């Protein structure tokens, strides 16, 4: 019993190193002299005892050793159990997050049912709540952010992997990773101080005068605040994440593939765009999914820039509202009214479910590609 | 590299132009990607430099509207308090869970734990705020009923840190050569002896990196604080109850930038610069730590 248990746990510990597994499990199944000697109250080593003592003492010693082996196994099991508690903490934390959101959102879930998702009324005084406005706003901001960030991030990671001089690569990729850690409130403040005046005075009038003449989608009052400002700033925040993950998968394109395409006579750009880029499509998809997960939960920068008006945007210059910015803005007023707060938390639950699904997808995809190491960074705020 | 010498001679004009254009496109994209990130630091410096001085870091805010005079001492002290509380919760729990994931990595329960821990990394910060509010701050129902307080906010930030520390600890432990662990086990060391005497000392720089990474991630968190702490213009005497709120750098920036006063905007940008510099210095510290341990490992063979 003890031996099988021991070898079981050994194979558990042997992370992907099957080579060493066999000799190790047989070795450690036998309690070794050093350990026995170091533990108090254990018999002396077998060679000494056989030379000095008779057969009766030998059998007593064998019994003693058996007991001590059992004791060792028990202490090992206790230690494993202790470690397990640490893992249970994480499980409990996850259960808390999901449980608190579910329980607190329950009044709203039972009252409104599925129609909560596509109702666009949000009236706390008459107790009618619907998520549609905020879901649309969230996806507008995320969409603008990704449309802005993905091409730039992918192209710049191509630049870093193939075009840039060597000395630039290390410096810039380090810089990018460092800048990815700048808190989102700083991005938000930057947006208010710099992006909003820029959009209001330059970009939005320009858009209205050119594209806006043909499509209403680009028209509107140039306010600076709105989904465009929020989307662009979130896009800036997402660029380092997408670029870093894409570059990590670009590095893994085999040298042979590159050389084969040169041997077939392709130019550098043809190699980069028609051979390398298609080879890393799964990595790019993974990085885009991670970027989506990061952008959709973004709170502070969006809260400061989107204008916080509960209306469905019809133009790129419109203001709007996202789930996360609504929660951060009004939750402290909502807690007075149980149904109001429940509706807000149900919105949060929608956001939570979307980001859990998205992160699971991205994780699985990138885990397959990167072999265990979790790619990308964590954060938000 | 060999790529620099290309047989450009016999190419058609179309291919030559396309080659040059696509190359230029990547360069333009690169400039577009890096410029805004650098612009953030420059704008923060440019708009905030009027308020920057040593006394900005060491005085409490004053005047009317509050903050127009004085500095950000409350924010710096409050952020420190929050980080200490968050670390006190998340470092033991995170390292513990990381040890579990490393030690029993192939059991189904450990796989599930790893997945859920990774998923916790992706939980939006507003959700953490809501959870923290209902666990620590609310005055009705279940929970600790601590009100808006530094302890509630610190522990909420600790929640955010736990999965980060867990994941990095596990990774650091996995980077310890298996032969060390197997050698110790073959000599008859118990699992506890291996963990205490070998695995943790060998992975200690990695674990330290993980803790710093966690601190880096919660340092700029603002959304959870809106739900659990809000803000304090002074330094509180206690961390629980109605007067237990602490100041916080990120919250301070948020509140100042939300005011219409130009003077507060200057203060906000100066505070943003300070926060960014702290974050970048921490990041640099992490990199130095990782680099140093790599060098050390190389020298030891």
């Amino acid at each position: 019993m003890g031996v099988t248990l021991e070898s079981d746990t050994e194979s558990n510990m042997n992370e992907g190193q099957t080579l060493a597994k066999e000799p190790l499990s047989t070795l450690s199944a036998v309690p070794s002299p050093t350990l026995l000697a170091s533990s108090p109250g254990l018999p002396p080593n077998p060679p000494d005892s056989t030379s000095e003592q008779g057969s009766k003492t030998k059998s007593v010693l064998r019994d003693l050793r058996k007991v001590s082996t059992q004791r060792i196994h028990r202490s090992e099991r206790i230690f494993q159990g202790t470690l397990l508690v640490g893992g249970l903490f994480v499980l409990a934390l996850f259960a808390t997050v999901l449980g608190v959101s579910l329980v607190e959102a329950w009044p709203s879930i039972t009252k409104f049912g599925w129609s909560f998702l596509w109702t666009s009324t949000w009236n706390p005084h008459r107790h009618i709540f619907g998520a549609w406005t905020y879901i649309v706003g969230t996806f507008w901001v995320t969409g603008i952010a990704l449309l802005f960030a993905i091409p730039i991030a992918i192209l710049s990671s191509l630049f870093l992997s193939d075009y840039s001089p060597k000395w630039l690569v290390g410096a810039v990729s380090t810089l990018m990773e460092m800048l990815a850690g700048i808190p989102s409130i700083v991005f938000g403040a930057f947006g208010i101080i710099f992006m909003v005046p820029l959009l209001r005075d330059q970009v939005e009038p320009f858009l209205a005068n050119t594209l806006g003449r043909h499509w209403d989608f680009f028209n509107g009052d140039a306010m600076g605040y709105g989904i465009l400002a929020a989307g662009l700033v979130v896009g800036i925040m997402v660029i380092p994440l997408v670029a870093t993950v894409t570059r990590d998968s670009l590095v893994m394109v085999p040298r042979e593939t590159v050389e084969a395409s040169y041997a077939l006579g392709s130019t550098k750009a043809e190699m980069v765009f028609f051979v390398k880029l298609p080879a890393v499509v799964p990595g790019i998809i993974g990085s885009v999914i991670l970027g989506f997960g990061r952008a959709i939960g973004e709170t502070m920068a969006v809260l400061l820039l989107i204008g916080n008006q509960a209306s469905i945007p019809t133009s790129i210059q419109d203001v709007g509202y996202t789930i996360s910015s609504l929660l951060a803005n009004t939750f402290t007023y909502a807690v007075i009214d149980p149904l109001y707060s429940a509706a807000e938390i149900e919105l949060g639950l929608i956001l939570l479910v979307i980001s859990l699904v998205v992160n699971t997808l991205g994780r699985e995809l990138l885990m397959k590609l990167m072999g265990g190491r979790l790619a990308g960074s964590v954060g938000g705020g | 590299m060999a790529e620099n010498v290309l047989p450009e001679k016999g190419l058609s004009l179309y291919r030559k132009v396309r080659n040059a254009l696509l190359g230029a496109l990547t360069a333009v994209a690169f400039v577009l990607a890096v410029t805004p990130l650098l612009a953030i630091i420059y704008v923060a410096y440019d708009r905030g430099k009027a308020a920057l001085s040593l006394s900005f870091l060491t005085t409490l805010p004053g005047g009317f509207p509050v903050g127009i005079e004085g500095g950000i001492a409350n924010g710096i002290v409050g952020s420190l308090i929050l980080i200490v509380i968050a670390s006190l919760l998340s470092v033991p729990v995170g390292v513990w869970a990381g040890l579990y994931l490393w030690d029993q990595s192939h059991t189904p329960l450990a796989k599930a734990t790893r997945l859920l821990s990774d998923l916790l990394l992706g939980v939006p910060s507003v959700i953490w705020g809501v959870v923290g509010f209902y666990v620590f701050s609310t005055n009705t129902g279940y929970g600790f009923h601590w009100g808006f307080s530094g302890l509630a906010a610190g522990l909420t930030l600790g929640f955010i840190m736990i999965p980060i520390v867990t994941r990095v600890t596990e990774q650091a432990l996995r980077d310890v050569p298996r032969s060390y662990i197997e050698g110790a086990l073959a000599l008859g060391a118990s699992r506890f002896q291996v963990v205490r005497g070998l695995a943790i000392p060998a992975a200690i720089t990695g674990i330290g990196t993980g803790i710093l990474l966690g601190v880096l991630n919660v340092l700029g968190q603002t959304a959870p604080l809106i739900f659990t702490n809000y803000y304090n213009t002074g330094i509180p005497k206690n961390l629980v109850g109605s007067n237990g709120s602490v100041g916080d750098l990120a919250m301070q920036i948020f509140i100042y930038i939300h005011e219409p006063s130009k003077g507060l905007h200057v203060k906000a940008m100066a505070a943003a610069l300070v926060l960014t510099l702290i974050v970048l210095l921490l990041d640099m510290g992490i990199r130095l730590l990782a680099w140093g341990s790599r060098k050390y490992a190389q020298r030891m063979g």
Side-chain angles (χ1 to χ4, degrees):
Chain A
M1 159 63 202
V3 172
T4 52
L5 174 90
E6 191 66 22
S7 63
D8 264 348
T9 49
E10 284 313 331
S11 62
N12 284 342
M13 284 196 64
N14 264 309
E15 258 294 296
Q17 297 209 354
T18 39
L19 271 181
K21 198 195 295 184
E22 271 321 301
L24 179 73
S25 55
T26 42
L27 265 180
S28 59
V30 185
S32 78
T34 358
L35 183 69
L36 292 182
S38 66
S39 320
L42 292 180
N45 295 341
D48 302 335
S49 59
T50 42
S51 59
E52 286 165 22
Q53 282 153 346
S55 62
K56 197 177 175 188
T57 23
K58 223 193 276 177
S59 73
V60 170
L61 274 180
R62 200 165 54 234
D63 289 350
L64 270 175
R65 261 206 296 280
K66 213 175 179 179
V67 169
S68 71
T69 312
Q70 275 168 358
R71 195 187 296 158
I72 289 168
H73 283 156
R74 203 175 60 218
S75 73
E76 291 281 276
R77 269 204 300 280
I78 289 173
F79 181 60
Q80 285 190 335
T82 320
L83 285 186
L84 182 67
V85 175
L88 292 181
F89 271 124
V90 173
L91 292 180
L93 185 57
F94 190 84
T96 311
V97 172
L98 212 58
V100 165
S101 322
L102 266 175
V103 166
E104 299 295 338
W106 197 247
S108 163
I109 294 175
T110 48
K111 181 148 194 265
F112 300 112
W114 288 107
S115 69
F116 183 77
L117 289 177
W118 52 82
T119 309
S120 56
T121 320
W122 183 272
N123 192 333
H125 302 292
R126 293 174 52 206
H127 272 189
I128 305 168
F129 297 102
W132 184 243
T133 316
Y134 306 103
I135 295 177
V136 171
T138 305
F139 277 94
W140 265 112
V141 171
T142 311
I144 293 173
L146 292 185
L147 272 182
F148 172 69
I150 289 169
I152 290 180
I154 291 174
L155 287 175
S156 60
S157 63
L158 284 178
F159 176 81
L160 279 181
S161 76
D162 286 277
Y163 284 98
S164 78
K166 272 250 172 73
W167 55 267
L168 196 63
V169 180
V172 167
S173 35
T174 313
L175 186 75
M176 275 234 178
E177 283 167 29
M178 284 173 76
L179 292 174
I182 295 179
S184 81
I185 184 72
V186 176
F187 281 86
F190 166 78
I192 282 196
I193 295 288
F194 185 78
M195 290 290 275
V196 166
L198 182 76
L199 288 177
R200 186 182 58 216
D201 301 335
Q202 313 283 334
V203 178
E204 290 189 344
F206 174 77
L207 275 179
N209 283 332
T210 51
L211 294 166
R213 287 182 192 281
H214 306 285
W215 295 286
D216 266 352
F217 179 69
F218 294 99
N219 244 326
D221 310 324
M223 283 177 287
Y225 294 93
I227 53 172
L228 185 60
L232 286 181
V233 169
V234 174
I236 294 174
M237 299 173 68
V238 171
I239 285 176
L241 175 65
V242 179
T244 308
V245 180
T246 307
R247 201 177 49 89
D248 284 351
S249 46
L250 274 172
V251 171
M252 283 157 58
V253 173
R255 182 101 192 127
E256 288 83 356
T257 316
V258 173
E259 279 168 5
S261 95
Y262 276 134
L264 289 171
S266 63
T267 61
K268 179 157 190 171
E270 283 164 351
M271 186 278 290
V272 170
F273 280 86
F274 305 139
V275 176
K276 245 189 170 176
L277 196 56
V280 295
V281 163
I284 290 176
I285 294 173
S287 70
V288 168
I289 290 175
L290 283 186
F292 181 86
R294 173 91 190 258
I296 203 168
E298 202 43 63
T299 311
M300 297 318 289
V302 175
L303 167 64
L304 288 172
L305 294 171
I306 197 170
N308 297 329
Q309 182 190 317
S311 58
I312 294 179
T314 52
S315 141
I316 200 160
Q317 304 198 16
D318 275 353
V319 290
Y321 226 146
T322 67
I323 292 176
S324 52
S325 60
L326 177 80
L327 256 73
N329 236 356
T330 62
F331 186 77
T332 37
Y333 314 119
V335 287
I336 303 158
D337 181 344
L339 190 65
Y340 190 3
S341 64
E344 292 225 335
I345 294 163
E346 191 177 352
L347 274 178
L349 197 62
I350 294 170
L351 184 67
L352 180 65
V353 169
I354 294 175
S355 48
L356 288 187
V357 169
V358 162
N359 278 304
T360 319
L361 283 179
R363 174 183 182 273
E364 292 302 316
L365 198 64
L366 287 172
M367 287 282 254
K368 278 209 183 79
L369 291 173
M370 307 281 175
R373 272 192 188 268
L374 192 68
S377 64
V378 283
Chain B
M1 285 228 273
E3 285 104 298
N4 294 334
V5 204
L6 273 176
E8 311 266 346
K9 222 174 153 191
L11 293 176
S12 65
L13 184 65
Y14 167 65
R15 288 180 72 194
K16 268 185 203 163
V17 169
R18 185 171 66 175
N19 191 19
L21 270 185
L22 290 178
L25 192 64
T26 63
V28 170
F30 171 73
V31 172
L32 275 178
V34 177
T35 314
L37 293 169
L38 294 176
I40 284 172
I41 298 176
Y42 176 74
V43 166
Y45 171 72
D46 189 48
R47 302 295 172 90
K49 66 181 175 220
L52 278 176
S53 66
L54 200 61
S55 67
F56 181 66
L57 300 178
T58 54
T59 50
L60 290 171
F64 185 82
V66 178
I68 200 83
E69 286 158 26
I72 53 171
N74 64 326
I76 291 176
V77 171
S79 292
L80 271 178
I81 292 173
L82 292 180
I83 284 169
V84 168
I85 297 174
S87 306
L88 283 179
L89 172 70
S90 65
V91 170
V93 173
V95 171
W96 196 352
L99 276 172
Y100 164 71
L101 289 183
W102 170 74
D103 185 58
Q104 293 161 37
S105 57
H106 275 313
T107 57
L109 188 63
K111 278 181 184 163
T113 310
R114 191 176 297 119
L115 173 70
L116 294 185
S117 156
D118 284 357
L119 287 185
L120 284 177
L121 290 176
V123 170
S125 50
V126 263
I127 308 291
W128 285 116
V130 170
V131 170
F133 175 81
Y134 279 108
V135 174
F136 300 116
S137 295
T138 178
N139 287 321
T140 54
Y142 302 106
F144 289 96
H145 298 208
W146 286 335
F148 276 33
S149 60
L151 191 60
L155 293 180
T156 308
L157 293 182
F159 279 0
I160 301 178
M161 255 177 92
I162 286 175
I164 303 170
V165 177
T166 303
R167 204 64 175 87
V168 181
T169 301
E170 192 205 352
Q171 195 61 58
L173 287 167
R174 280 197 195 188
D175 288 345
V176 177
R178 287 304 305 176
S179 51
Y180 290 12
I181 311 293
E182 282 156 10
L185 285 172
L187 287 172
S190 71
R191 204 59 66 75
F192 176 66
Q193 286 169 324
V194 168
V195 164
R196 196 194 56 184
L198 191 66
I200 289 188
I204 195 74
T205 41
I207 295 173
T209 312
I211 294 167
L212 284 181
L213 199 65
V215 168
L216 189 74
N217 264 284
V218 299
L219 188 59
Q221 291 284 359
T222 323
L225 300 190
I226 294 179
F227 296 85
T228 53
N229 174 61
Y230 218 71
Y231 180 61
N232 191 342
T233 51
I235 295 167
K237 295 257 184 321
N238 50 349
L239 292 176
V240 183
S242 54
N243 293 322
S245 294
V246 295
D248 178 80
L249 266 180
M251 255 339 258
Q252 197 158 24
I253 299 169
F254 171 62
I255 286 167
Y256 285 8
I257 205 80
H258 236 177
E259 299 281 337
S261 147
K262 287 268 180 255
L264 280 183
H265 283 192
V266 172
K267 298 272 182 185
M269 289 323 273
L273 186 67
V274 171
L275 181 59
T276 309
L277 285 182
I278 293 174
V279 166
L280 292 185
L281 280 178
L282 244 161
D283 199 309
M284 213 106 83
I286 294 175
R287 273 159 212 288
L288 275 179
L289 204 62
W291 180 77
S293 71
R294 248 199 328 273
K295 280 274 163 212
Y296 181 74
Q298 272 168 10
R299 209 174 57 223
M300 301 304 281

